[in-house]
Amino acid sequence: MRRLGGELARLAALAAAVALSVMLLLNWLAFSAISLYQESRLPPNLREELHAEQEPMSAELLTALERIDAQLYVDWITAGSLALGVMAGGAVGFWRARRLAQPLVELAAVARQLRAGLSGARGRTGTTKVQEIEDFIADFNAMADSAEAAERERRLSNAAIAHELRTPLTVLNGRLCGMADGLFALDQAAVQGLLTQTSLLTRIVDDLRLLTLAQAGQLALSCEDCDLARVAADVAKVLQPLLAEQGQALELELRPATVRADPGRIQQALQALLHNAQRYTGGEPLRIVSGVQGEQAYLQVLDRGPGLSVAQADQAFERFWRGESSRGRETGGSGLGLSVVRAIAQAHGGLARYSDRPGGGACFEIRLPLAQPESVAARR
């Protein structure tokens, strides 16, 4: 591959060389023609003297040569050769420049196709030896791929959002219409059912807002040095009594792990992981684990549920994704919980991932960068 600067320098050098060559050739031809013209105007005896190249020339020969004034022709020939040389150099430069710019012309046509709605249009790579142009085409194709994926995700998300909101709205509308018609009694149980549906709607809207802010890079974080073990202990203190009422135990294996994070957001992510795990364990104990590995702190939620296949694990953190069988709507999930967990982890410069739990079950994990030693020392 060649660099664009070198290619432009070669183009300029070629145009200049062609222009100079044409000028020199035309001048040589022109002055040869002038010499022949002067010679043809001389008498035979003076022509012989001229061919003999005797020195010094006779006064008669000098006078005859001065009488044949070719200076006007010389001026016109010089000007003409200069103009033709520049034109020839410009023509060669234009031809080379068109070849150099042809991939960009084709890419402009692809851009117009994309604007017209042909989302599969892409620029051809390997059509030029210029590194910058080849890189530009590759970057353009990558941008087009990203735009196509974003548009596909937007359409799927819009359809999924409408699908998710329609169920609780349909339930609310049906029950309210039934109460208005006297088909359902307006008692505490009915009101509680309506509140459940409104809570689901509120959670869906809040999760969608968080995901939108995270995708735009505008998720507000109030970061401070915090210990993941302490954050997990606070969440467990609130949830353990509620889980106990449902006959489910919550085990803790917490080791200190100090990170620079928003404790409220970490609690939100941990609660989402616990809520997700609770739906699929069938009453088996849940476990929260925290600790440090290398330069990262981790926070894990482990269950003894059915786990995920490799294909399911690849999609587990996508919006509105639900697994098969037990991991479905019937268990109360909106399909946004794990997406929220990933968004919060990424907003902190970390990641969220899934792995199989040894002995069976699932392990969902958040990994965050450790807090810098200076900030921890300053806090103490």
Side-chain angles (χ1 to χ4, degrees), residues 277 279-282 303-309 312 324-327 354 356 360-362:
R279 296 198 302 268
Y280 312 125
T281 58
D303 64 51
R304 290 296 183 187
L308 299 175
S309 66
Q312 290 174 331
E324 300 173 352
S325 63
S326 64
R327 295 186 182 267
Y354 166 85
D356 292 329

Side-chain angles (χ1 to χ4, degrees), residues 104-124:
L104 298 179
V105 174
E106 294 178 0
L107 195 63
V110 172
R112 289 191 291 271
Q113 291 176 349
L114 290 173
R115 185 178 61 184
L118 187 60
S119 59
R122 296 294 184 271
R124 291 190 303 151

Side-chain angles (χ1 to χ4, degrees), residues 47-49 82 116 157 279 335 375:
R47 196 180 306 159
E48 291 178 1
E49 181 183 349
L82 177 62
S157 293
R279 296 198 302 268
S375 61

Side-chain angles (χ1 to χ4, degrees), residues 9-319:
R10 280 188 289 272
L11 175 61
L14 177 62
V18 170
L20 182 60
S21 300
V22 170
M23 289 172 57
L24 292 175
L25 177 62
L26 290 177
N27 273 285
W28 178 79
L29 292 175
F31 284 110
S32 298
I34 289 175
S35 297
L36 292 174
Y37 170 73
Q38 288 178 323
E39 183 180 344
S40 67
R41 299 292 298 274
L42 293 174
N45 61 326
L46 295 180
R47 196 180 306 159
E48 291 178 1
E49 181 183 349
L50 181 64
H51 286 170
E53 299 181 355
Q54 297 178 358
E55 293 292 344
M57 293 183 182
S58 65
E60 184 182 2
L61 178 58
L62 290 174
T63 302
L65 290 175
E66 290 175 357
R67 192 180 303 118
I68 305 172
D69 186 10
Q71 185 60 45
L72 179 63
Y73 295 105
V74 172
D75 293 341
W76 278 101
I77 289 170
T78 302
S81 63
L82 177 62
L84 290 175
V86 172
M87 291 174 61
V92 172
F94 177 74
W95 172 70
R96 290 287 298 174
R98 283 196 62 181
R99 289 190 59 187
L100 184 65
Q102 185 59 33
L104 298 179
V105 174
E106 294 178 0
L107 195 63
V110 172
R112 289 191 291 271
Q113 291 176 349
L114 290 173
R115 185 178 61 184
L118 187 60
S119 59
R122 296 294 184 271
R124 291 190 303 151
T125 57
T127 59
T128 178
K129 295 181 180 180
V130 180
Q131 184 67 53
E132 287 85 349
I133 296 179
E134 190 71 14
D135 291 344
F136 180 68
I137 296 174
D139 292 340
F140 180 90
N141 289 340
M143 180 186 67
D145 291 339
S146 298
E148 184 179 14
E151 177 64 16
R152 183 168 56 251
E153 181 181 354
R154 184 188 67 81
R155 292 177 179 176
L156 292 175
S157 293
N158 288 343
I161 290 171
H163 182 70
E164 293 297 330
L165 294 178
R166 183 167 55 246
T167 299
L169 287 174
T170 300
V171 173
L172 283 172
N173 184 67
R175 291 185 180 179
L176 288 173
C177 288
M179 291 176 184
D181 294 339
L183 300 177
F184 299 126
L186 184 58
D187 52 19
Q188 185 176 0
V191 172
Q192 186 61 44
L194 296 177
L195 288 175
T196 300
Q197 298 302 318
T198 57
S199 297
L200 177 58
L201 282 172
T202 301
R203 187 166 70 250
I204 292 174
V205 172
D206 289 343
D207 288 347
L208 286 172
R209 180 175 182 275
L210 185 149
L211 292 172
T212 301
L213 291 174
Q215 188 174 16
Q218 298 179 355
L219 182 61
L221 298 175
S222 299
C223 292
E224 60 184 61
D225 290 337
C226 61
D227 185 0
L228 292 182
R230 184 173 299 178
V231 173
D234 292 340
V235 172
K237 185 177 180 180
V238 174
L239 293 184
Q240 273 180 326
L242 300 177
L243 292 173
E245 291 179 0
Q246 301 174 20
Q248 194 162 36
L250 180 59
E251 303 171 349
L252 303 178
E253 185 181 332
L254 305 178
R255 290 179 290 275
T258 303
V259 297
R260 186 74 179 173
D262 184 337
R265 293 296 187 187
I266 300 302
Q267 288 182 356
Q268 182 181 2
L270 180 57
Q271 289 173 355
L273 289 178
L274 288 171
H275 182 62
N276 177 75
Q278 180 190 5
R279 296 198 302 268
Y280 312 125
T281 58
E284 293 290 331
L286 304 179
R287 178 182 289 266
I288 303 177
V289 180
S290 66
V292 174
Q293 185 177 38
E295 298 297 322
Q296 292 183 321
Y298 61 84
L299 185 61
Q300 299 174 338
V301 173
L302 301 95
D303 64 51
R304 290 296 183 187
L308 299 175
S309 66
V310 175
Q312 290 174 331
D314 292 338
Q315 303 176 7
F317 292 92
E318 300 297 328
R319 294 187 185 188

